[in-house]
Amino acid sequence: MPKRKDIKKILIIGSGPIVIGQACEFDYSGSQACKVLRQDGFKVILVNSNPATIMTDPEMADRTYIEPITIEILEKIIAKERPDALLPTLGGQTALNAAVNLAEKGILKKYKVDVIGADIKAIKKAEDRRLFKQAMEKIGLDLPKSDKAYNIKEALVVADKIGFPLIIRPSFTLGGTGGSIAYNLNEFKELAKIGIESSMISEILIEESIAGWKEFELEVMRDLKDNVVIICSIENVDPMGVHTGDSITVAPAQTLTDKEYQKMRDASIACIREIGVATGGSNIQFAMHPQTGRMVIIEMNPRVSRSSALASKATGFPIAKIAAKLAVGYTLDEILNDITKETPACFEPAIDYCVVKIPRFTFEKFPASDPTLTVSMKSVGEVMAIGRTFKEALQKGLRSLETKRTGLNSILFKDLTNVNPAPAGRGWVKADNGLMETLCHNLRTPNAERLLYIGDALRAGMDIDKIHELSRIDRWFLYNIKEIVDFEKRLLAHKDNITRPLLTAAKQLGFSDMQIAALIQKTEEDIRLLRKSFDIKPDFKLVDTCAAEFKAFTPYYYSTYDA
């Protein structure tokens, strides 16, 4: 299908101020959309209250309004500019909520503005917890036991029916705003009140707690011909109970069997069709019981999300750009991938590397805040690292946080150089009762440093099963972290005779020169000179969306010490 001829001018609503839960990922997406729509000959009218964005640079849109994103202001802009269409799926929850309000007040109908990408009915179906539950039950997908409430009295009835602990999820919010976990009645009354106040429609969904289950996300795209593709699978290292924006995440998913992945893939395709997102990307979240394999659908975002931005950068597939083209009538088979210039957009990305996203927290700037991670997002940013393995990408990511870490550093043991390495598989740092108590508390309680405490628990001799029992983090990730910790012992055991194979293996595990130097009491320059004398240099590999099946034309690389 060619682009629509009945649309000349398109209104795009930005995401507003950069705040926790709604950050610059939406600027990235909106900027892509503005560029591609203008290239296709459309006039773009942009409204965003935040001037400190790329999106609001004068060359991005034909007309830019730096104004509050309120219904009154939006109506004035619509009345003046008379856009033919509104594209609400690129400005996060702010844009979606604004589009719904404009429709409900009759403003879109009054000025004959068509909603493209996802219509108002689809937005409501995905964002309203009751409608979403009904839609998923209709197509036979399992959900956590739940019910809605609009006041405390109704909420108490639901709580009594389901039983504690309970998850409280407000409708029409972003970043889990107002969401919480209640473990008893007193907590529940207070948290339910906050949730109701946070919701645009004063509605909360109260559901059975599935904290501790494995969490996954799929990035899905659909066009007007009902072609659906999966762009990327993402797995959360932290289990359910931590907001996905606060969790370390990995792409592609690492611990699913092919049968489980295909089941999840089928469910996500059924979901986007039932909700009715006509074109563009959606982020669909699932939870899976680690023992029984029971899979439940948690929610979907009928828009470009933070995870969409991550998936775009992880795969090289420009989700926001393609979503904008789909919204104006193109189909996936008509759009060529910019990277290969040969494969169409319906060619599902394949990646032959591992991507790790690690959130960044600044609790030191908010001393009154609770550093415990919950279902409400608290991170202020994130880093993304690419490597040939999870271990390499993880250590690169930890260095990128700008917190002076050189990798999977110890948080409790400041000096590991005087430790006598014990046989593999046993602790190599003396641990007293107080230390073990500290470790257990920080493994059990989700916090920004939990990954580092896992490393220290392994150094102190805690076994994988115990760490899994406390943290509920999948053993696959724990064994990978253990490989990093065990290699520290190898480096210490050979600190006076670092061979070429040993140094090569360290670099492939993501160890930096500075990290190795600190561990064996050398200088960073010593390690760099030794590495160069062994001719151990990084390779630079392409992020090409197709695992090197086709020639790629993008200058988008990652470094690795792979062969």
Side-chain angles (χ1 to χ4, degrees):
M1 295 171 65
K3 70 178 183 181
R4 289 175 61 170
K5 302 293 186 187
D6 58 327
I7 295 175
K8 306 293 182 189
K9 191 184 284 189
I10 299 171
L11 174 65
I12 292 178
I13 303 174
S15 61
I18 293 176
V19 295
I20 292 174
Q22 183 152 312
C24 53
E25 291 89 344
F26 298 108
D27 183 32
Y28 169 88
S29 302
S31 299
Q32 276 194 19
C34 288
K35 279 184 181 178
V36 72
L37 291 173
R38 292 189 76 196
Q39 285 168 6
D40 263 339
F42 295 99
K43 284 198 168 182
V44 174
I45 309 303
L46 174 69
V47 186
N48 198 357
S49 60
N50 185 2
T53 61
I54 301 298
M55 186 193 297
T56 50
D57 282 0
E59 67 270 17
M60 281 294 171
D62 293 281
R63 192 69 62 87
T64 301
Y65 288 88
I66 300 176
E67 298 283 355
I69 301 174
T70 64
I71 302 308
E72 295 74 25
I73 294 291
L74 288 171
E75 182 175 9
K76 287 180 181 177
I77 293 168
I78 290 170
K80 181 181 177 183
E81 294 290 345
R82 293 302 178 103
D84 302 300
L86 165 63
L87 181 55
T89 55
L90 297 157
Q93 198 67 42
T94 298
L96 276 192
N97 290 354
V100 171
N101 283 329
L102 286 168
E104 288 181 341
K105 291 184 184 302
I107 294 168
L108 298 180
K109 186 177 180 181
K110 177 181 176 182
Y111 294 100
K112 297 179 181 168
V113 181
D114 188 14
V115 179
I116 57 177
D119 63 24
I120 299 302
K121 183 181 176 184
I123 293 170
K124 285 185 174 181
K125 211 170 177 182
E127 295 288 330
D128 185 304
R129 300 291 181 177
R130 176 179 57 86
L131 296 176
F132 181 73
K133 181 182 177 183
Q134 289 173 352
M136 295 305 97
E137 287 174 341
K138 179 183 172 184
I139 57 175
L141 294 185
D142 195 5
L143 301 99
K145 295 174 191 170
S146 63
D147 208 343
K148 69 184 186 305
Y150 296 92
N151 54 55
I152 296 299
K153 185 178 178 181
E154 291 177 0
L156 291 172
V157 172
V158 177
D160 185 58
K161 182 170 65 175
I162 298 175
F164 292 100
L166 291 166
I167 306 285
I168 298 164
R169 298 185 187 277
S171 296
F172 287 93
T173 63
L174 179 77
T177 302
S180 54
I181 304 177
Y183 294 93
N184 56 57
L185 193 59
N186 288 336
E187 281 184 354
F188 179 76
K189 288 177 182 177
E190 183 62 31
L191 296 172
K193 182 174 178 243
I194 293 169
I196 291 166
E197 290 170 353
S198 301
S199 171
M200 184 177 83
I201 58 172
S202 300
E203 177 187 273
I204 56 173
L205 184 78
I206 303 160
E207 67 182 26
E208 67 171 312
S209 173
I210 50 175
W213 291 31
K214 292 156 68 171
E215 184 172 1
F216 300 89
E217 301 174 63
L218 294 187
E219 292 298 321
V220 189
M221 295 204 84
R222 185 186 185 211
D223 68 17
L224 287 166
K225 284 185 180 175
D226 197 27
N227 297 308
V228 185
V229 293
I230 311 301
I231 305 304
C232 187
S233 64
I234 301 172
E235 178 167 1
N236 289 21
V237 173
D238 290 295
M240 290 293 299
V242 175
H243 189 277
T244 188
D246 286 349
S247 179
I248 297 170
T249 60
V250 185
Q254 301 291 313
T255 71
L256 284 173
T257 65
D258 184 59
K259 187 176 180 180
E260 288 170 334
Y261 172 68
Q262 296 303 332
K263 181 182 176 184
M264 197 173 286
R265 189 180 186 281
D266 290 345
S268 65
I269 292 171
C271 174
I272 196 170
R273 284 175 171 157
E274 173 59 30
I275 293 300
V277 176
T279 68
S282 290
N283 166 256
I284 305 176
Q285 297 174 15
F286 296 90
M288 184 171 284
H289 193 284
Q291 277 79 49
T292 66
R294 179 190 167 199
M295 184 187 81
V296 296
I297 188 165
I298 303 300
E299 65 180 5
M300 86 171 292
N301 292 306
R303 56 175 169 79
V304 175
S305 65
R306 282 184 310 276
S307 296
S308 305
L310 173 70
S312 291
K313 290 177 275 188
T315 62
F317 187 101
I319 290 176
K321 177 180 177 180
I322 303 297
K325 289 183 80 73
L326 296 177
V328 294
Y330 292 101
T331 55
L332 288 162
D333 56 305
E334 293 175 330
I335 304 168
L336 273 186
N337 187 319
D338 287 349
I339 291 175
T340 63
K341 301 189 186 300
E342 186 176 344
T343 57
C346 56
F347 182 92
E348 290 192 352
I351 58 179
D352 54 359
Y353 46 80
C354 185
V355 178
V356 174
K357 176 218 84 179
I358 305 177
R360 173 79 152 87
F361 300 90
T362 53
F363 287 115
E364 68 277 4
K365 294 181 181 178
F366 307 98
S369 63
D370 179 3
T372 304
L373 304 184
T374 66
V375 294
S376 185
M377 187 173 163
K378 296 179 180 179
S379 64
V380 297
E382 62 193 33
V383 298
M384 187 191 91
I386 306 178
R388 298 297 281 179
T389 65
F390 168 71
K391 295 176 281 290
E392 181 190 4
L394 180 70
Q395 296 227 78
K396 286 171 74 175
L398 287 168
R399 282 195 288 282
S400 302
L401 286 169
E402 297 181 355
T403 53
K404 298 183 179 177
R405 295 185 188 124
T406 57
L408 187 72
N409 303 139
S410 172
I411 194 168
L412 295 177
F413 313 123
K414 300 306 176 189
D415 184 9
L416 297 172
T417 57
N418 296 321
V419 176
N420 250 334
R426 293 166 63 183
W428 54 296
V429 176
K430 188 176 179 182
D432 56 31
N433 289 338
L435 175 69
M436 295 308 286
E437 192 175 313
T438 298
L439 285 170
C440 288
H441 171 75
N442 283 286
L443 294 178
R444 187 182 294 111
T445 308
N447 62 85
E449 312 285 356
R450 182 154 66 167
L451 194 74
L452 303 183
Y453 283 107
I454 289 171
D456 280 344
L458 291 164
R459 294 180 185 102
M462 192 179 291
D463 63 43
I464 295 287
D465 287 340
K466 180 65 175 176
I467 297 172
H468 170 71
E469 179 190 331
L470 291 166
S471 67
R472 309 313 300 171
I473 292 174
D474 192 274
R475 289 177 178 83
W476 188 90
F477 296 112
L478 299 179
Y479 276 112
N480 272 267
I481 295 167
K482 186 176 185 298
E483 285 185 48
I484 296 171
V485 171
D486 285 348
F487 201 87
E488 291 175 344
K489 288 194 280 186
R490 280 186 65 190
L491 285 169
L492 276 171
H494 299 87
K495 61 183 177 181
D496 297 320
N497 182 32
I498 301 291
T499 62
R500 187 181 191 280
L502 186 66
L503 189 54
T504 300
K507 300 306 289 183
Q508 289 177 342
L509 286 171
F511 282 85
S512 66
D513 291 352
M514 186 183 290
Q515 187 180 1
I516 297 167
L519 191 65
I520 65 173
Q521 290 187 309
K522 302 280 187 184
T523 67
E524 184 181 7
E525 187 63 19
D526 290 336
I527 302 302
R528 182 171 289 113
L529 290 172
L530 179 63
R531 178 167 58 78
K532 288 186 175 180
S533 73
F534 289 147
D535 197 31
I536 301 171
K537 297 175 184 175
D539 262 345
F540 289 87
K541 297 184 184 288
L542 271 170
V543 173
D544 60 8
T545 78
C546 62
E549 288 184 51
F550 296 88
K551 186 178 179 181
F553 297 88
T554 178
Y556 187 9
Y557 295 84
Y558 66 97
S559 67
T560 177
Y561 285 85
D562 187 53

